[in-house]
Amino acid sequence: MLCIAVMLAVPVTGHAETGAAGWLRYAAIRNPETLRRDQALPAGVVLLDRSPVPLSAEQELVRGVRSMLDRTLRIDDTLPEEDAFVLGTASEIEGALPQARAGTLQPESFSLSVVHAHGHAYWVIEGGDARGVLYGTFRLLAKMGTEQDLAMLHDSESPSAPIRWVNQWDNIDGSIERGYAGRSIFFDNGAVREDVSRTGEYARLLASVGIDGCTVNNVNASPKMLSPEMIGGLARIADEFRPWGVRLSISVALNSPQTLGGLSTFDPLNPQVIAWWQSRVDALYAQIPDFGGFVVKADSEGQPGPSQYGRTPADAANMLARMLKPHGGILLYRAFVYNHHLDWNDMKADRARAAYDIFHPLDGKFEDNVVVQIKYGPIDFQVREPVSPIFAGLRKTSEAIELQVTQEYTGQAHHAVFLIPLWKESLDFDLHADNRSTTVASIVEGKAFHHALGGFVGVANVGLDANWMGHPLSMANLYGFGRLAWNPELTSAAIAEEWTRLTFSNNPEVASTVDGILLHSWHAYEGYTGSLGIGTLTDILHAHYGPGIESAERNGWGQWFRADHQGVGMDRTVATGTGYIGQYPPEVAKRYESLATMPDSLLLFFHHVPWNYRLHNGQTVIQYTYNAHYAGAEEAAQFMTDWKRLDGLIDDERYQKVLDLLIYQSGHAVVWRDAVCNWAKSMSGIPDDRGRVGHYPDRIEAENMKLTGYTVVDVTPPETASGAKGVVCEGQASCMAETVFHGASGWYDLGVEYFDYRSGDSTFRVFLNQQLIGEWTADNTLPAERMNGDTSSRKTLDGIPLRTGDTIRIEGTPDGNEPAPLDYIAVDRIVSRTDKAAGSNSPDAAQTKH
Ligand code: GCV
């Protein structure tokens, strides 16, 4: 209690942080109790192996202790005659301090212990190999950073699986597909960038959570990745990775022998093609001896593949795997193979079936260094999907789960969405193969079916922005990915807590506030985007960001939910639908086939039901849809309120950055809520029994205001603007929209809904009568150039005293192609706010104070 009181009394103000340090901030420990305890730590460190990876461990320990405890550890070559940190692999510890040996340690494992010998205490970090020493050191530093008692140091950990990789979808021109934090840290202008120092910093972050591999380029790969110049550049990145035990790998395009090599074919069984690939593999290993291997996306979304020559994925994968094998390299072949020209009119067509239909017949036909890389769900990183049945469909083939750290369908670093609970649901899901417990985690760890390899791949897509991922809270997903890959048994709460303490503060108020936001955020996002397993109802043809509901229907992409006036949902049953459910092992298939045992959360993924079908929770599908979207948006608003508690308790820069993002998120959650609810209402014809949907008494539509210069336009899709219309200022220097307030006098929050295109920085000024009460520039980087669900944004002016008869006027000044577009203003009465209500709620009293 004492330490809590002391810490709360020391606010952190004025101090700015960019987020570049991530969770490796090594913030100075201020808690007197911890400091007193840590006095007992030794003054020196001895490293028994001076190869590059353990050297990084030693330097990291010195750096961390210096930063957290304000002390410089002395570096010794041999065991000193005093207390010391001792770092080494098993055989070295055996030689120097045999009493400290921890028993058999597997590669990459570590053991931490305090050993008393020769009258001294030694804090021993023993690794199963060099990486183990590094991972153990980072673990020790995390324990120090979260103020655990190191005198009790006793920990022994092994990674769950050998493959713990991130994929980066970086293009060689320096852009990043589905990246939301600036340009590539690896490439620029068709080559590896000159300055690759940031890649070493990235590898350090990755290693600190046990990630041991990074695939540096987009799975939609450029054949130029295999050119001699590029291989030279990749070797420079590998040099940055190596001290952190991170192996470099690349994605390859299967048509490279043709497009880069000039051959007439890329048939994987053609001898010339094989010889060409061999020359490239030789060139890679000549310059990068620890090269990790290849990732292959083929026959998918327009990528070339073996099907062009009547060959199978196994033919292509094995051809490459055989070349990589002598070097210890592996071949990850993605199961994300599907036909994106499906026939909407074919009620049996189903994209979800594709991975199982294609890969299950190939089980047992892959080389033992091939790993099939499988997205957690059968569609594409949606806000909720069932786990892919192919996890249970490959008994004799190694598998890795692919998780998306970058928030493509989950808010694109504009929304806070902590994805660990989503991933945990997939990893913990029991597929009951062979009528025994086979969780997805146990399958990808290689344990369930005794696979040689296996593991975890996270699509990370960090960029050059100082804070790596755009949204400061998004870094919790990268941290959590590494921690889960290391140990999928960790709970979401434990991961959130650890990350928050290391990233922000050990202050309990900070920890509980941030953890609270993180742990509720996925559920909130699911609530206001797509509930009941319908999918993220975004525009799937373009940005994958804001609402764009119907874009998923009536085309070949197969992300269908088949809504009509009667009902909604994909019938994937064996009895009457696409038969997809039959791909699961019998126990799971039985549960999904029957409506009686179907979980509500996935209902619309598996069944087509009437809008008034009653869920297990007692609500109808339509009413639940309305309720979930309203509840989700309310939760998002609450995050903003909760975050404000941290003012003064964390550094100003990150406080303000997150606050701005949470304010934006709460506004965009309303855009989502309204779009989905209005669409569902017009589709079902069933009103909201709580009267909210389509009734907005507090809104004044821009198209109904007195317009000077502004013109009224239709917005498509219609549900992405209130009343399906907005106003634009075109061909004018500036325009005005004006209205007279007819409500009761009182305090109000004034929300202005406008559209903020990717380019153009329009400005808006709001006047109450003649008084300027707010102005801002629409300079957010949202992924569209028109009025729609991607660009709709809200500016809220808090605490405005309105009198009946006041004039509210908005002046919009366009910039570039952005015509200062407006949707509506929301005039929300402040019911109770003690700070404003001191005295009376009369605006007359309030206005005289201004
Ligand atoms: C790299 C989704 C994304 C694509 C991505 C693809 C994949 O469809 O929208 O950008 O391409 O998945 O995982 O290959």
Side-chain angles (χ1 to χ4, degrees), residues 40-45 71-76 82-85:
L41 293 177
V45 52
R71 294 194 214 165
T72 300
L73 294 178
R74 188 184 32 238
I75 295 176
D76 283 311
E82 60 179 45
D83 295 359
F85 290 106

Side-chain angles (χ1 to χ4, degrees), residues 169 177-178 220 297 301 334 336 375 380 408 544:
W169 287 353
E177 183 155 345
R178 317 298 175 191
N220 296 329
K297 172 178 178 178
E301 302 184 333
R334 296 177 86 225
F336 187 64
K375 290 189 182 186
D380 192 8
E408 175 183 353
H544 300 186

Side-chain angles (χ1 to χ4, degrees), residues 170 176 286 292 360 370 421 535 564 643 781 841:
D170 297 35
I176 306 179
H360 176 64
V370 173
D564 58 25
W643 184 261
T781 48
N841 192 33

Side-chain angles (χ1 to χ4, degrees), residues 207-489:
S208 73
V209 284
I211 294 170
D212 61 357
C214 174
T215 311
V216 296
N217 67 303
N218 194 349
V219 287
N220 296 329
S222 164
K224 292 201 183 122
M225 285 304 294
L226 293 161
S227 73
E229 307 74 48
M230 190 64 84
I231 291 175
L234 293 172
R236 285 192 291 115
I237 301 175
D239 290 346
E240 294 285 329
F241 281 2
R242 197 162 295 116
W244 303 104
V246 175
R247 293 174 84 183
L248 179 142
S249 51
I250 60 172
S251 297
V252 290
L254 281 186
N255 66 349
S256 303
Q258 198 174 51
T259 47
L260 182 69
L263 301 183
S264 58
T265 172
F266 66 92
D267 178 353
L269 300 191
N270 176 294
Q272 281 179 301
V273 169
I274 296 171
W276 187 87
W277 279 109
Q278 186 68 59
S279 76
R280 299 297 79 210
V281 169
D282 292 346
L284 279 161
Y285 279 101
Q287 294 206 47
I288 311 173
D290 54 352
F291 180 70
F294 294 140
V295 176
V296 174
K297 172 178 178 178
D299 288 318
S300 168
E301 302 184 333
Q303 292 302 307
S307 69
Q308 188 168 326
Y309 300 97
R311 312 298 186 197
T312 67
D315 293 330
N318 291 341
M319 181 268 294
L320 294 172
R322 284 182 202 116
M323 294 168 196
L324 295 165
K325 197 186 284 188
H327 304 278
I330 58 174
L331 191 285
L332 286 149
Y333 201 99
R334 296 177 86 225
F336 187 64
V337 180
Y338 70 101
N339 170 12
H340 67 274
H341 299 290
L342 287 178
D343 179 5
W344 157 265
N345 294 311
D346 177 359
M347 297 305 282
K348 297 287 176 197
D350 187 358
R351 169 172 165 181
R353 292 188 58 111
Y356 193 97
D357 284 346
I358 295 166
F359 285 86
H360 176 64
L362 298 174
D363 190 23
K365 301 209 165 103
F366 291 97
E367 293 285 338
D368 61 8
N369 61 329
V370 173
V371 178
V372 176
Q373 179 171 321
I374 306 164
K375 290 189 182 186
Y376 59 85
I379 300 292
D380 192 8
F381 300 135
Q382 299 300 286
V383 69
R384 188 184 287 271
E385 293 185 45
V387 304
S388 184
I390 190 60
F391 284 116
L394 295 176
R395 307 298 172 86
K396 300 180 218 128
T397 309
S398 296
E399 300 168 69
I401 188 167
E402 183 177 314
L403 304 169
Q404 200 181 38
V405 180
T406 190
Q407 295 170 239
E408 175 183 353
Y409 285 96
T410 49
Q412 304 195 351
H414 292 290
H415 292 234
V417 184
F418 183 56
L419 294 165
I420 314 307
L422 186 168
W423 299 339
K424 282 287 287 179
E425 284 218 6
S426 299
L427 290 166
D428 293 347
F429 187 83
D430 194 341
L431 277 157
H432 288 287
D434 307 328
N435 292 321
R436 63 188 169 93
S437 172
T438 51
T439 61
V440 171
S442 72
I443 293 172
V444 299
E445 285 173 316
K447 291 176 188 152
F449 305 136
H450 308 293
H451 294 154
L453 282 169
F456 300 76
V457 176
V459 180
N461 295 0
V462 302
L464 273 178
D465 282 4
N467 71 8
W468 302 97
M469 301 211 73
H471 197 311
L473 300 186
S474 298
M475 282 294 269
N477 292 325
L478 184 58
Y479 183 86
F481 167 73
R483 296 292 288 131
L484 271 189
W486 182 268
N487 178 7
E489 311 254 291

Side-chain angles (χ1 to χ4, degrees), residues 735-804:
C735 302
M736 281 190 305
E738 196 172 301
T739 187
V740 174
F741 176 66
H742 294 297
S745 299
W747 285 105
Y748 288 83
D749 288 338
L750 205 64
V752 180
E753 199 70 28
Y754 63 103
F755 297 88
D756 186 348
Y757 301 179
R758 173 174 279 282
S759 62
D761 293 343
S762 305
T763 48
F764 296 94
R765 298 182 349 131
V766 182
F767 294 85
L768 174 58
N769 303 318
Q770 297 312 312
Q771 182 187 353
L772 179 67
I773 55 168
E775 63 184 317
W776 69 96
T777 303
D779 56 1
N780 204 351
T781 48
L782 298 167
E785 293 285 358
R786 61 192 188 88
M787 301 164 85
N788 67 6
D790 296 330
T791 54
S792 184
S793 306
R794 175 176 293 222
K795 174 76 181 174
T796 300
L797 307 175
D798 283 337
I800 304 296
L802 294 179
R803 287 188 201 131
T804 314

